[in-house]
Structure formats: C-alpha cells, structure tokens
Amino acid sequence: MYKRPAHIQFLSPQNPELCRLALELCAQRGAGWIVAAGAEAPPQWPDLIVWLDTPPEPIRAKASPQALVRQWSLVEPLQDSLAERIEGLLGGLRLLARLDNSGSPGGAPKDSKDENGPVAPPPLPHSGQE
C-alpha cells in the first residue's frame, strides 16, 4: 500500500467545470487518501490520469509513462456519477490498506474524518497555485 496519498490527475479539456467538480469531490471525500490535480500537475506527478468524458490524448498520456491512464464515461447527473467513481476508487484504496494491514497513507484517519469533520488534503506540490 502507498505510504502517501495517491496522486490523481483529472483531465477534461472540453469541460473544465467537470474537472473542477472532480477536484472538489476528492478534497471532500478523499482527504488523506487522494491528492488530486487538474491539467496544472507536472508530467511526472500523477499515479493515475483520469480523462473525464474525453478520449485520452496520446501526447499527454505519454508525458507520464509511470501513470495508469483511464477514461471515465459518466452519465447524468454527472455529479452523482463522478461521486460514485471517486467513492469506488477510495473503496479500493481502503480495501488494499486493510488487506495488507498498512492503514491509511501518511497516518490519516481510516475513515478520512476526525471529530471536526473532513481532514484537509495536503497542498499539491509543484502546482504553481497559491
């Protein structure tokens, strides 16, 4: 299991709002487990590149040879469909952590919440955003 949160890059050149929504959902639900970024992520940063309703562009996909590249086909309502995909991804990460008894990456709470609500995700390195 990872000893750090999974780095996921969401891309949707034709629908930036969908990408923004994916980043927001990951920050809310995947705190401690996922650090998400959009197109601004450096090429070698992601572990997983997710194209949202857009076929992967070969040039961009080759920029990060170590990353898995997936395309998520979403159905209406898009927010619900995207939330289901992200929950499935989180479920897989949590299952792997339970199977190898490693706990959550970086010592984040296993349910990604504390008594005060969601744990804030760590800042994205190299994003250039303030």
Side-chain angles (χ1 to χ4, degrees):
M1 183 63 203
Y2 284 116
K3 298 303 176 194
R4 63 166 174 76
H7 293 173
I8 301 176
Q9 182 178 27
F10 290 98
L11 299 172
S12 183
Q14 296 164 351
N15 189 349
E17 181 62 22
L18 191 56
C19 188
R20 186 203 58 77
L21 180 59
L23 297 177
E24 185 178 296
L25 287 168
C26 283
Q28 291 171 356
R29 298 171 183 218
W33 291 90
I34 295 174
V35 176
E40 77 279 0
Q44 299 300 318
W45 181 80
D47 301 310
L48 173 65
I49 299 171
V50 177
W51 289 85
L52 302 171
D53 272 349
T54 306
E57 295 174 12
I59 294 169
R60 182 66 178 168
K62 290 179 186 174
S64 184
Q66 84 285 355
L68 295 173
V69 178
R70 298 291 183 260
Q71 178 184 3
W72 286 358
S73 296
L74 304 172
V75 296
E76 293 289 341
L78 294 177
Q79 182 168 354
D80 293 347
S81 183
L82 190 54
E84 284 180 25
R85 289 287 197 149
I86 290 170
E87 286 297 329
L89 183 64
L90 285 166
L93 292 172
R94 290 178 179 131
L95 176 62
L96 288 173
R98 278 196 310 269
L99 288 174
D100 69 8
N101 203 25
S102 64
S104 60
K110 288 186 179 185
D111 66 357
S112 75
K113 294 184 180 182
D114 66 13
E115 64 276 2
N116 298 318
V119 176
L124 173 66
H126 316 292
S127 72
Q129 294 180 340
E130 298 296 298

